[in-house]
Amino acid sequence: MTINVLFLGPQGSGKGTQATRICAAHGVPHVSTGDMFRAAIAEQTALGREVEPIVAAGELVPDALTVALIRDRIAKDDAQAGFILDGFPRNIAQAESLDRMLEVIGRPLDRVFFFDLDDATATTRALERANREARVDDTPEVIARRLAIYHEQTAPVVARYRATGTLHEINAARSVDDVFAEISAAFGWLAR
Ligand code: AMP
């Protein structure tokens, strides 16, 4: 049995928090492209140096780099029983690459969770995180830019999965525990 899941939603919608909790409970890896880029930047690898200014500006890293990172990651042993992808795909081209990748390895997506959150709450939460975590991309200007990119490029990805019937829409304005309970119930059902 495998559980292949996507978490989509704007910054501040709680994707990362929920992915960490669900992955701990179900023993599947939390695959966050944002975390992978931040780790590469912290280690100053070749990839890290290349993506650092892009991430700092809130722009999207080129698809070729991002797709290659995901392809390598989901081929690893610990991802064979499934994965939660958090922050990928961010645009239609990435979604198409993912579909092809999963078709080749014969592992369709089981569910796409969409963390629905209004812009005002997303912005407030991202600003609060700025105080806690000191992320380079949590300044007011970059938060606004990331939200604009989300609407332009990632919202069409949500529409794509809504059309295929794999989308589970979550009201992400609720508490962490309420959202966790809803996703856990859905996971229990998927894992049967
Ligand atoms: P996140 O932690 O998901 O908000 O990602 C932080 C930053 O990493 C984004 O603002 C982008 O610069 C970059 N990034 C993360 N995921 C992707 C992706 N799927 N495609 C392109 N860039 C990404």
Side-chain angles (χ1 to χ4, degrees), residues 25 54 106 125 133 147 151 162 171 176 184-185 191:
I54 304 172
R125 287 190 184 171
E133 295 179 16
L147 211 48
H151 286 296
R162 185 178 286 119
N171 170 4
V176 172
S184 289

Side-chain angles (χ1 to χ4, degrees), residues 9-12 15 32-38 41 51-63 65-67 69-70 86-91 94 129 135 137-138 142 146 149 154:
Q11 58 192 324
K15 302 185 303 292
S32 156
T33 39
D35 285 350
M36 291 160 93
F37 289 134
R38 279 184 288 278
I41 292 168
V51 304
E52 187 165 17
I54 304 172
V55 171
E59 302 294 334
L60 293 187
V61 171
D63 292 341
L65 289 178
T66 310
V67 168
L69 208 60
I70 288 289
D86 161 16
F88 179 95
R90 282 281 229 282
N91 59 28
Q94 292 181 8
R129 181 172 63 192
R135 268 174 58 158
D137 53 354
D138 276 342
V142 178
R146 287 162 63 212
I149 292 179
T154 312

